[in-house]
Amino acid sequence: MRRLAARGAAGDAGEVAPPAADSTDCAPGRSPSPCRLIDLCAIWDAGVFLPAAVAAAWKGAPSGVPRRRLNEAETLSSVQKAQLQRLEAARPRGPGSGDRGPVPRMARQQPPPWVHAAILFSLLSLSTAIEIPMDPSIQNELSQPPTITKQSVKDHIVDPRDNILIECEAKGNPAPSFHWTRNSRFFNIAKDPRVSMRRRSGTLVIDFRSGGRPEEYEGEYQCFARNKFGTALSNRIRLQVSKSPLWPKENLDPVVVQEGAPLTLQCNPPPGLPSPVIFWMSSSMEPITQDKRVSQGHNGDLYFSNVMLQDMQTDYSCNARFHFTHTIQQKNPFNLKVLTNHPYNDSSLRNHPDMYSARGVAERTPSFMYPQGTASSQMVLRGMDLLLECIASGVPTPDIAWYKKGGDLPSDKAKLENFNKALRITNVSEEDSGEYFCLASNKMGSIRHTISVRVKAAPYWLDEPKNLILAPGEDGRLVCRANGNPKPTVQWMVNGEPLQSAPPNPNREVAGDTIIFRDTQISSRAVYQCNTSNEHGYLLANAFVSVLDVPPRMLSPRNQLIRVILYNRTRLDCPFFGSPIPTLRWFKNGQGSNLDGGNYHVYENGSLEIKMIRKEDQGIYTCVATNILGKAENQVRLEVKDPTRIYRMPEDQVAQRGTTVQLECRVKHDPSLKLTVSWLKDDEPLYIGNRMKKEEDSLTIFGVAERDQGSYTCVASTELDQDLAKAYLTVLADQATPTNRLAALPKGRPDRPRDLELTDLAERSVRLTWIPGDDNNSPITDYVVQFEEDQFQPGVWHDHSKFPGSVNSAVLQLSPYVNYQFRVIAINEVGSSHPSLPSERYRTSGAPPESNPSDVKGEGTRKNNMEITWTPMNATSAFGPNLRYIVKWRRRETRETWNNVTVWGSRYVVGQTPVYVPYEIRVQAENDFGKGPEPDTVIGYSGEDYPRAAPTDVKIRVLNSTAISLQWNRVYSDTVQGQLREYRAYYWRESSLLKNLWVSQKRQQAGFPGDRLRGVVSRLFPYSNYKLEMVVVNGRGDGPRSETKEFTTPEGVPSAPRRFRVRQPNLETINLEWDHPEHPNGILIGYTLKYVAFNGTKVGKQIVENFSPNQTKFTVQRADPVSRYRFSLSARTQVGSGEAVTEESPAPPNEATPTAAPPTSPPTTVGATGIVSSTDVTATAATTEATTVPTIPTVAPTTIATTTVATTTTTTAATTTTTTTTTTESPPTTTRTKIQESAYTNNQADIATQGWFIGLMCAIALLVLILLIVCFIKRSRGGKYPVREKKDVPLGPEDPKEEDGSFDYSDEDNKPLQGSQTSLDGTIKQQESDDSLVDYGEGGEGQFNEDGSFIGQYTVKKDKEETEGNESSEATSPVNAIYSLA
């Protein structure tokens, strides 16, 4: 918002710029200002200004000091005196002056002359009225009287089959209330059950579904919108019910007429509301062919200028089409009986030049059938269409011509219709009044009829009163000026009551069509009505007076940052609001005087313009708005940036096919701005393929091909500016490698050709000869001859022809009437030469055009016009001077005369056409030497209007969960009002049948092209409630919507589960997690998981798991540590399974780096729901006084694989082996363990089948067997240990800790093993014997005691090895090797 409320820039003159010209609500021609302000144009059009002297007083007056008044010492200019005299003349002076009722005392008293002078001076030099911004916070704070925003038309005709709707809407703060009058009496809506008022609106709805007659509600209605600040009135709305009475039944005798005599067939249609459309057809519904002999008059009668025998071949029926009911009523047909002296209807005589005498019909002079006599008169209202009609009889058929006495017909508004029998003048004004006459003539004579036209006028606005918003103590005025014929009277009202009966207001004075307000106060707020009327109509306008008292407020965000390029022009905006209108000043860096003048310019709306930005302009700018109620300020920070410039531009290049080309583009820019360098090829974005490489300062093309030829543009841009550079790449075909010594010399572009000479000058050709320039060690491959002409496009060179490089002379074919000038460009493999110097000019002689413009079209841009367009001919096809186009058109199949106009451009608009009517169109070229060939006839159509009917009887049949079938009845062709493009269905998802599921209610559409009666709408959401409406679509747009239909889609299969995640926390288990489907499409009954193990090409048996709908997790126990798993998960409804999402378990990692564990690491626990809860296992060294018992587990990192498809939960039971370790509160240490790479991968062979591997495993098995025997002996010596083997033993029901499938690690597991010796501090002491298996394990890293501690550690080792296999870093140990085979 660049302009809000600003004082005039002219200082004491008080001049203020008007609102924006581009505003949709403002009249054109006004200077820039935003149109987002409330009643901005209304304020300006009212012409309310603050006197300059008063403005000066405001600046220096403290708060609360009243403004001084103008006195009689003020001098008046001649213009002001004239205005004063006009006001004096317009003042009511008693009876007959237009006053309604007694005049208040204040208005009747004659004030002294100085008062008039002061009032007039104030009116001529008032300040700008206040403009209210559209800021919601300000809108909600400020009070405002009511304003009518929407109302029905004055003459409101309704369809008796529909409910009656009388519109009335208004705005205001607080929101207004509404009431109505009917026939000038209060209309009590509450007493009539059929009548209701819409919520937050005054619109009346009269419902006849429960019975009643619409005719009972005919009358004159008026709406009143009221809040505590005033009352606004609508127009007086005359409600009438459409009528389409039946044609009276009658028996028509045959009409007997002599051949050659005139005849009138009267229609006399029944009176309808609105009047019906009349047309004539036969009883077999064939249209009656009309021409200048037989035609229909404006009154609906069918006129025969003379009857011929062939007129008896059909009957004639008058038809009336009624608009609202869409019905056509047909009158009983007329049958003709033609009496003739020549009973044979010889068709060969139909177009005979002497047809009438050949048939024995006597020729006679014209006489008028309509209107009668030699003179008549007609009255028309200003702004309406004037239709004059003359229909004459005679033999031969007379021709009609129209003239205006004392002048010419208005060419821009006059149009001949009905075979020249009717003259239509559109948008009549006062200057169209006068005498018109029609002349009917044939070879026997002529006759004239004079029509005197009088133009009257209903009231029309000269100055419509506009809303007036003032500050306390300001002056203003409301002006209500209208004109008409006769002169309209003006009546003022306030809040719906006559001004004469309103309470007196000392601050208000009425001067004819102007109300003057002086020193307004808060109590002056009201809504004024101006009613101006004469015998032809009335105008009613509402305008409120609102008084605001608001201190200055800034409307833009604070501390804005503006960045601008050096040397550019910029403008700093500071939108503000206040009442009285504040003054605005600018300061830089918080000091100095007000910025204005020199490089700075302050606009009237307060914006500061810096004409040319320099580095020293960078800084902080402060704007300060001040009025008598206070001040407000805001700051804008301005940063100046260096421009973006391409200092090394790409150059034109000629490259051999298959070579490499580099186009340079080096850029200098401001380092604080982000630079983007992009490339265009032939002005389209360049796709950087495999053969191209884009670097920061260049573009490289490898292996150039013919398709790479073209223009390349480097675009260097920042968020503030950009720079362009263009080069042309020419690609040459392969040539033999030169073998002479010139191959080693540097190559360059050829020199320009020289000494151009024109010889063999002919009418349509010329020979051009030139001397080649130096080829610079690269043979010339081509010459390009270009030409320039100085008539249509002077200075623009065009390619004429291309010749091989071996010639230096060529014959050029030329076009007529072109002043040619030629030049030549040489091309070799390096590039193009500079153009040669131009040749001398040669003008060919002219000739008529040999062709006509192409691409002729006739299309309507509005509902009442047809725009004829074509592609204009260029200079080489003009063939002569003053090329122009003869445009002809006529309605198709009417055989009327061609309308024609001469056009110099490439378009012509035919106005006042019927809606969507076919026309025959011809466009012929013409120059001063003659016309072009006869043009082809093109069929065009006048403009389309919106369809008037909606499809009826829409039926919906549900096909499946995502599709429905539609069927409807077609609309009448005359209601389409254009080309039927399609029937279109608008549908939206109202809700889902699933509770608490949010759905988007965005409207979607499905089109059914052509005149179809059924279609299918697919891609619906299952298990949802939908609503659907249908419309008819033509080229203009949508027609009215049909009745809203509702339907429900059945349940369907769900979409895929979302975010399916596969995690592998260790080598024993795989965790699966997923989310519910995004679109359940029904009630979920569960999930199905299918998974299979695979190792290379080997695939295991597929396992299927079914889960409940609330389960979103599942844990899989790995059968072996080598194989991977492929998982497929889908959701289910009653209909079936939906789309599945597939994931694979991660590949085994090569290395893992564990993290330090807490002092006491909880073991892995698998709950009853199958949800694994664990912590990462780490290597922790526990230190005691006498013994160190380290644990050395193998750590596998957690790997996560996620998808974007939705998913859910499942449960399984897992088994875990427990161990007992005794630790102290020593700080943990982290051990980095190297994990051996898996021996099995997808890309390796299965080594289990290799012979060497089998032998090695057998040897290790034998060694381990010996070690087990030794271990067994040692165990017998050391006693029994409470170690439970959990691996392959099923859970027994007698174990209370395992009833729920979980393992509880209690204090029992932390007790010392049997046979161990415990020290006083609870630590386990090492036995003296060191006969253990540590030497077969990890060397010196672990020391296992013979008191049983080894067995505990060994159990853990075994369980771990079953999952980790040879990935463990202990794979070299014999103990680990044997368990890697398990």
Side-chain angles (χ1 to χ4, degrees):
M1 188 180 300
R2 293 185 175 171
R3 184 185 189 286
L4 294 172
R7 192 176 295 277
D12 293 339
E15 295 178 1
V16 185
D22 55 356
S23 165
T24 57
D25 298 328
C26 307
R30 301 181 177 178
S31 60
S33 172
C35 202
R36 293 182 292 165
L37 310 179
I38 291 182
D39 301 315
L40 177 60
C41 303
I43 295 170
W44 278 103
D45 291 341
V48 181
F49 300 95
L50 181 68
V54 178
W58 268 120
K59 294 180 181 178
S63 177
V65 177
R67 304 182 184 186
R68 67 180 180 87
R69 305 205 175 207
L70 301 172
N71 53 47
E72 61 271 26
E74 303 277 2
T75 60
L76 300 177
S77 67
S78 59
V79 176
Q80 293 170 335
K81 291 178 180 178
Q83 292 284 346
L84 179 59
Q85 293 173 359
R86 187 190 59 77
L87 288 177
E88 287 292 331
R91 174 180 298 278
R93 302 186 182 278
S97 63
D99 290 350
R100 306 285 181 91
V103 181
R105 180 182 301 274
M106 178 193 71
R108 290 200 306 267
Q109 292 177 346
Q110 183 68 24
W114 69 267
V115 174
H116 293 290
I119 293 172
L120 181 61
F121 189 82
S122 299
L123 294 180
L124 296 178
S125 57
L126 284 173
S127 168
T128 311
I130 297 170
E131 305 161 4
I132 301 180
M134 294 297 291
D135 191 320
S137 61
I138 297 179
Q139 287 283 315
N140 295 333
E141 291 178 8
L142 301 180
S143 57
Q144 183 173 330
T147 301
I148 300 292
T149 59
K150 188 176 183 181
Q151 57 183 318
S152 295
V153 295
K154 294 179 181 178
D155 291 317
H156 188 33
I157 301 176
V158 296
D159 192 334
R161 301 171 299 176
D162 298 334
N163 293 335
I164 295 177
L165 198 70
I166 311 178
E167 291 183 313
C168 177
E169 295 182 7
K171 65 178 181 179
N173 191 12
S177 60
F178 299 87
H179 73 270
W180 287 81
T181 62
R182 178 186 176 194
N183 299 329
S184 301
R185 300 180 63 184
F186 175 71
F187 185 37
N188 193 342
I189 299 173
K191 290 186 177 181
D192 193 331
R194 296 193 188 94
V195 183
S196 61
M197 188 182 299
R198 285 184 175 175
R199 186 182 179 189
R200 299 179 182 176
S201 168
T203 298
L204 287 183
V205 179
I206 307 176
D207 193 343
F208 297 103
R209 288 179 295 183
S210 58
R213 297 178 65 252
E215 291 78 4
E216 298 174 357
Y217 291 89
E218 289 184 327
E220 190 176 73
Y221 292 79
Q222 191 167 26
C223 174
F224 294 74
R226 172 179 296 147
N227 66 11
K228 64 180 181 180
F229 302 115
T231 302
L233 277 65
S234 73
N235 288 325
R236 295 188 297 275
I237 302 169
R238 184 185 177 194
L239 178 66
Q240 295 175 283
V241 178
S242 173
K243 297 176 178 62
S244 54
L246 297 177
W247 221 302
K249 294 183 178 181
E250 55 184 342
N251 294 322
L252 300 177
D253 296 329
V255 179
V256 181
V257 62
Q258 184 69 37
E259 185 174 17
L263 175 64
T264 302
L265 299 181
Q266 294 184 349
C267 181
N268 296 327
L273 186 66
S275 299
V277 177
I278 305 300
F279 56 96
W280 286 81
M281 302 183 75
S282 67
S283 57
S284 59
M285 302 305 292
E286 293 292 333
I288 301 300
T289 302
Q290 299 187 27
D291 50 25
K292 72 175 184 178
R293 186 178 64 87
V294 181
S295 62
Q296 176 184 318
H298 183 63
N299 59 1
D301 294 346
L302 188 64
Y303 293 90
F304 293 77
S305 294
N306 49 77
V307 176
M308 300 301 294
L309 184 62
Q310 66 261 24
D311 297 334
M312 198 171 57
Q313 294 178 354
T314 183
D315 54 7
Y316 301 85
S317 177
C318 183
N319 295 262
R321 179 166 61 85
F322 294 91
H323 172 70
F324 278 91
T325 58
H326 303 297
T327 58
I328 297 176
Q329 296 187 25
Q330 190 176 49
K331 186 176 182 179
N332 289 339
F334 292 95
N335 289 290
L336 295 187
K337 183 177 181 180
V338 180
L339 304 179
T340 179
N341 298 326
H342 197 296
Y344 299 102
N345 186 14
D346 191 351
S347 60
S348 62
L349 297 175
R350 182 167 301 176
N351 297 319
H352 196 278
D354 203 5
M355 174 182 61
Y356 295 98
S357 61
R359 294 195 53 84
V361 177
E363 297 178 340
R364 51 188 174 82
T365 58
S367 62
F368 283 108
M369 305 174 68
Y370 180 87
Q372 301 290 334
T374 60
S376 61
S377 63
Q378 192 167 334
M379 190 274 289
V380 64
L381 291 180
R382 178 182 184 272
M384 306 297 289
D385 285 359
L386 170 64
L387 184 66
L388 304 178
E389 193 171 32
C390 282
I391 302 176
S393 64
V395 178
T397 304
D399 294 317
I400 305 294
W402 290 89
Y403 304 93
K404 183 179 181 182
K405 188 175 181 179
D408 297 329
L409 296 176
S411 58
D412 55 334
K413 300 191 297 181
K415 181 181 178 182
L416 297 178
E417 298 178 352
N418 197 17
F419 311 100
N420 292 355
K421 299 178 184 180
L423 172 65
R424 183 182 296 274
I425 300 178
T426 59
N427 193 20
V428 171
S429 57
E430 285 79 359
E431 56 266 23
D432 294 321
S433 60
E435 289 188 355
Y436 295 78
F437 64 89
C438 58
L439 184 67
S441 61
N442 62 11
K443 66 180 183 178
M444 301 301 295
S446 63
I447 188 173
R448 185 170 73 171
H449 183 92
T450 303
I451 306 175
S452 178
V453 175
R454 294 173 295 114
V455 178
K456 300 292 184 179
Y460 57 92
W461 289 119
L462 298 178
D463 284 307
E464 184 179 2
K466 307 295 182 182
N467 294 333
L468 186 61
I469 304 175
L470 302 171
E474 285 188 338
D475 301 339
R477 64 173 178 171
L478 291 178
V479 180
C480 177
R481 296 194 185 100
N483 200 2
N485 188 6
K487 183 73 175 177
T489 59
V490 176
Q491 178 192 13
W492 284 101
M493 294 182 288
V494 57
N495 296 328
E497 300 293 335
L499 192 62
Q500 293 83 348
S501 59
N505 185 346
N507 304 104
R508 178 183 66 210
E509 180 177 351
V510 180
D513 55 12
T514 304
I515 300 181
I516 303 168
F517 299 92
R518 295 172 299 181
D519 193 21
T520 56
Q521 302 300 323
I522 299 295
S523 58
S524 300
R525 290 183 293 196
V527 182
Y528 290 82
Q529 289 83 32
C530 173
N531 184 40
T532 174
S533 61
N534 65 12
E535 62 189 67
H536 302 297
Y538 75 94
L539 293 174
L540 177 67
N542 292 273
F544 65 71
V545 176
S546 184
V547 183
L548 300 179
D549 196 359
V550 181
R553 294 178 58 173
M554 291 297 173
L555 302 179
S556 60
R558 302 188 64 82
N559 303 321
Q560 294 185 79
L561 171 62
I562 304 296
R563 298 185 298 176
V564 66
I565 296 298
L566 186 66
Y567 305 127
N568 278 7
R569 178 191 299 261
T570 190
R571 186 166 63 181
L572 307 181
D573 294 328
C574 183
F576 61 94
F577 173 70
S579 178
I581 300 174
T583 57
L584 188 75
R585 294 179 295 169
W586 285 90
F587 303 93
K588 180 181 177 184
N589 296 328
Q591 58 187 3
S593 60
N594 183 28
L595 297 177
D596 197 5
N599 197 34
Y600 301 102
H601 175 68
V602 178
Y603 284 92
E604 295 170 350
N605 65 352
S607 296
L608 174 67
E609 182 185 68
I610 306 177
K611 300 176 182 178
M612 180 181 291
I613 292 292
R614 299 162 298 185
K615 284 290 186 182
E616 55 266 27
D617 292 324
Q618 184 166 290
I620 297 177
Y621 291 79
T622 304
C623 58
V624 181
T626 308
N627 68 6
I628 61 174
L629 300 178
K631 73 175 182 178
E633 66 178 42
N634 199 358
Q635 290 184 343
V636 178
R637 183 159 60 94
L638 181 67
E639 291 185 358
V640 181
K641 304 296 182 181
D642 292 327
T644 302
R645 294 291 179 265
I646 300 176
Y647 65 90
R648 180 166 295 180
M649 297 179 288
E651 297 181 348
D652 294 344
Q653 297 190 34
V654 178
Q656 199 76 26
R657 185 175 59 186
T659 59
T660 299
V661 173
Q662 186 178 53
L663 301 173
E664 279 191 309
C665 183
R666 299 192 179 182
V667 185
K668 181 180 180 182
H669 71 291
D670 193 291
S672 63
L673 300 177
K674 181 181 178 181
L675 176 67
T676 302
V677 179
S678 58
W679 288 85
L680 307 177
K681 181 179 184 296
D682 298 329
D683 298 327
E684 297 292 337
L686 175 65
Y687 170 71
I688 306 297
N690 296 330
R691 296 187 302 105
M692 296 184 184
K693 180 181 180 182
K694 190 184 86 168
E695 297 177 320
E696 184 177 352
D697 55 1
S698 66
L699 173 68
T700 305
I701 307 175
F702 302 96
V704 295
E706 285 82 353
R707 63 178 180 272
D708 296 324
Q709 180 168 301
S711 64
Y712 289 80
T713 305
C714 175
V715 182
S717 60
T718 65
E719 55 264 43
L720 298 183
D721 66 339
Q722 71 173 18
D723 196 13
L724 308 175
K726 182 179 289 189
Y728 193 87
L729 173 63
T730 304
V731 180
L732 301 179
D734 296 332
Q735 293 189 0
T737 303
T739 57
N740 55 25
R741 61 185 180 83
L742 294 178
L745 297 177
K747 299 179 181 180
R749 302 182 183 186
D751 293 342
R752 71 174 69 184
R754 57 186 175 88
D755 297 343
L756 273 64
E757 183 181 4
L758 298 178
T759 58
D760 300 343
L761 304 176
E763 189 173 342
R764 295 291 180 266
S765 65
V766 68
R767 177 175 289 277
L768 175 65
T769 305
W770 63 91
I771 298 176
D774 191 349
D775 63 4
N776 292 324
N777 305 317
S778 178
I780 296 175
T781 58
D782 295 287
Y783 287 105
V784 175
V785 178
Q786 296 181 329
F787 75 93
E788 178 259 353
E789 53 84 25
D790 58 358
Q791 181 177 358
F792 288 91
Q793 291 180 300
V796 178
W797 290 88
H798 307 273
D799 289 348
H800 185 283
S801 50
K802 192 173 185 179
F803 301 97
S806 58
V807 303
N808 69 330
S809 179
V811 176
L812 307 178
Q813 299 300 321
L814 308 179
S815 297
Y817 202 75
V818 178
N819 195 17
Y820 283 101
Q821 187 174 357
F822 301 98
R823 70 182 187 183
V824 182
I825 299 174
I827 300 175
N828 64 7
E829 66 176 5
V830 179
S832 303
S833 71
H834 292 292
S836 68
L837 296 177
S839 69
E840 59 182 339
R841 288 195 177 272
Y842 175 62
R843 179 184 290 278
T844 56
S845 59
E850 296 180 1
S851 62
N852 289 310
S854 59
D855 197 23
V856 178
K857 296 178 181 178
E859 297 175 344
T861 59
R862 295 182 180 177
K863 66 180 181 179
N864 59 349
N865 76 356
M866 179 179 65
E867 184 179 63
I868 303 174
T869 60
W870 57 90
T871 301
M873 301 166 64
N874 55 31
T876 59
S877 57
F879 287 14
N882 294 327
L883 177 65
R884 52 198 179 269
Y885 305 97
I886 301 174
V887 182
K888 299 180 181 181
W889 72 94
R890 69 178 181 184
R891 287 184 60 172
R892 187 181 183 184
E893 298 177 354
T894 59
R895 300 301 180 186
E896 62 184 12
T897 57
W898 288 90
N899 301 281
N900 65 82
V901 67
T902 301
V903 179
W904 273 261
S906 61
R907 61 186 291 270
Y908 180 74
V909 178
V910 180
Q912 301 301 322
T913 63
V915 175
Y916 199 67
V917 171
Y919 280 84
E920 295 178 341
I921 302 171
R922 296 177 181 175
V923 180
Q924 185 180 26
E926 183 185 27
N927 59 24
D928 288 353
F929 289 94
K931 297 181 180 179
E934 192 66 23
D936 296 332
T937 301
V938 176
I939 303 300
Y941 285 85
S942 58
E944 302 178 64
D945 199 357
Y946 294 105
R948 292 188 283 107
T952 57
D953 197 19
V954 179
K955 298 178 181 178
I956 299 176
R957 182 167 62 91
V958 178
L959 300 178
N960 52 46
S961 60
T962 61
I964 62 170
S965 172
L966 291 177
Q967 187 174 352
W968 59 89
N969 290 341
R970 63 166 51 92
V971 297
Y972 292 107
S973 58
D974 60 335
T975 66
V976 177
Q977 300 197 115
Q979 181 183 3
L980 177 61
R981 297 291 179 88
E982 64 180 12
Y983 288 91
R984 183 178 296 168
Y986 288 98
Y987 59 96
W988 62 95
R989 192 182 182 192
E990 188 72 15
S991 62
S992 173
L993 295 179
L994 295 174
K995 295 183 178 179
N996 302 323
L997 179 63
W998 180 88
V999 298
S1000 171
Q1001 295 184 343
K1002 179 181 178 182
R1003 286 179 175 255
Q1004 297 175 287
Q1005 65 182 44
F1008 309 102
D1011 192 10
R1012 300 170 55 181
L1013 298 180
R1014 58 179 55 86
V1016 174
V1017 178
S1018 58
R1019 302 182 67 180
L1020 302 174
F1021 285 97
Y1023 213 54
S1024 301
N1025 294 318
Y1026 275 88
K1027 290 187 177 180
L1028 180 143
E1029 297 172 341
M1030 291 203 67
V1031 298
V1032 178
V1033 182
N1034 62 14
R1036 186 75 183 274
D1038 294 0
R1041 301 181 184 273
S1042 68
E1043 178 185 0
T1044 302
K1045 296 288 185 179
E1046 298 182 2
F1047 63 93
T1048 301
T1049 53
E1051 197 171 4
V1053 296
S1055 60
R1058 290 182 297 171
R1059 292 188 286 277
F1060 186 27
R1061 303 176 293 279
V1062 179
R1063 293 190 176 93
Q1064 185 172 306
N1066 51 53
L1067 295 180
E1068 297 176 353
T1069 59
I1070 299 175
N1071 294 338
L1072 309 178
E1073 295 183 16
W1074 60 89
D1075 292 345
H1076 295 295
E1078 181 179 6
H1079 302 293
N1081 296 336
I1083 301 175
L1084 290 180
I1085 62 173
Y1087 296 90
T1088 299
L1089 174 68
K1090 301 177 182 179
Y1091 61 95
V1092 62
F1094 65 94
N1095 184 1
T1097 59
K1098 295 184 178 181
V1099 180
K1101 182 180 179 181
Q1102 179 175 278
I1103 302 175
V1104 179
E1105 300 280 354
N1106 291 317
F1107 310 126
S1108 66
N1110 295 325
Q1111 190 170 337
T1112 56
K1113 295 181 180 179
F1114 182 64
T1115 300
V1116 177
Q1117 288 296 127
R1118 297 173 63 98
D1120 64 86
V1122 177
S1123 298
R1124 297 178 64 191
Y1125 287 83
R1126 183 178 295 111
F1127 300 94
S1128 177
L1129 181 69
S1130 61
R1132 304 191 314 274
T1133 62
Q1134 293 289 351
V1135 179
S1137 296
E1139 179 186 357
V1141 58
T1142 302
E1143 283 294 331
E1144 294 182 359
S1145 60
N1150 293 333
E1151 184 176 295
T1153 305
T1155 57
T1160 303
S1161 300
T1164 300
T1165 304
V1166 181
T1169 62
I1171 301 173
V1172 178
S1173 174
S1174 64
T1175 59
D1176 293 339
V1177 183
T1178 58
T1180 305
T1183 306
T1184 64
E1185 290 183 357
T1187 306
T1188 300
V1189 187
T1191 62
I1192 311 175
T1194 302
V1195 180
T1198 301
T1199 304
I1200 302 175
T1202 64
T1203 72
T1204 59
V1205 188
T1207 327
T1208 323
T1209 308
T1210 135
T1211 314
T1212 187
T1215 59
T1216 304
T1217 309
T1218 64
T1219 62
T1220 302
T1221 33
T1222 305
T1223 60
T1224 63
E1225 295 297 326
S1226 59
T1229 60
T1230 302
T1231 304
R1232 183 179 180 86
T1233 306
K1234 178 82 173 179
I1235 300 178
Q1236 181 179 346
E1237 185 177 354
S1238 172
Y1240 295 96
T1241 65
N1242 289 339
N1243 299 324
Q1244 293 177 335
D1246 193 352
I1247 63 174
T1249 61
Q1250 305 296 319
W1252 63 269
F1253 181 80
I1254 297 175
L1256 178 62
M1257 293 299 102
C1258 292
I1260 294 175
L1262 180 60
L1263 179 60
V1264 171
L1265 181 60
I1266 297 173
L1267 291 175
L1268 289 175
I1269 295 173
V1270 174
C1271 179
F1272 179 77
I1273 296 173
K1274 291 293 184 179
R1275 180 174 180 179
S1276 300
R1277 291 171 51 192
K1280 296 181 179 179
Y1281 303 94
V1283 179
R1284 294 179 295 180
E1285 291 294 331
K1286 303 265 185 187
K1287 177 60 185 170
D1288 296 321
V1289 179
L1291 298 177
E1294 68 280 4
D1295 192 344
K1297 299 178 182 179
E1298 301 174 359
E1299 289 179 354
D1300 56 354
S1302 63
F1303 303 102
D1304 183 13
Y1305 296 89
S1306 61
D1307 292 340
E1308 178 183 355
D1309 295 323
N1310 295 326
K1311 294 179 181 180
L1313 301 176
Q1314 292 183 8
S1316 63
Q1317 298 180 6
T1318 306
S1319 63
L1320 294 175
D1321 58 357
T1323 59
I1324 304 175
K1325 294 186 177 181
Q1326 185 178 11
Q1327 296 292 325
E1328 296 297 330
S1329 175
D1330 56 357
D1331 186 9
S1332 68
L1333 296 180
V1334 68
D1335 293 334
Y1336 301 98
E1338 290 295 306
E1341 278 188 40
Q1343 298 180 3
F1344 302 102
N1345 298 330
E1346 293 182 11
D1347 60 357
S1349 298
F1350 166 74
I1351 300 302
Q1353 298 292 336
Y1354 177 75
T1355 306
V1356 176
K1357 175 83 60 185
K1358 177 182 178 184
D1359 232 18
K1360 300 285 288 180
E1361 289 301 320
E1362 286 186 348
T1363 59
E1364 295 177 0
N1366 57 2
E1367 284 187 338
S1368 172
S1369 60
E1370 294 102 329
T1372 57
S1373 169
V1375 177
N1376 292 333
I1378 188 64
Y1379 284 108
S1380 68
L1381 299 176

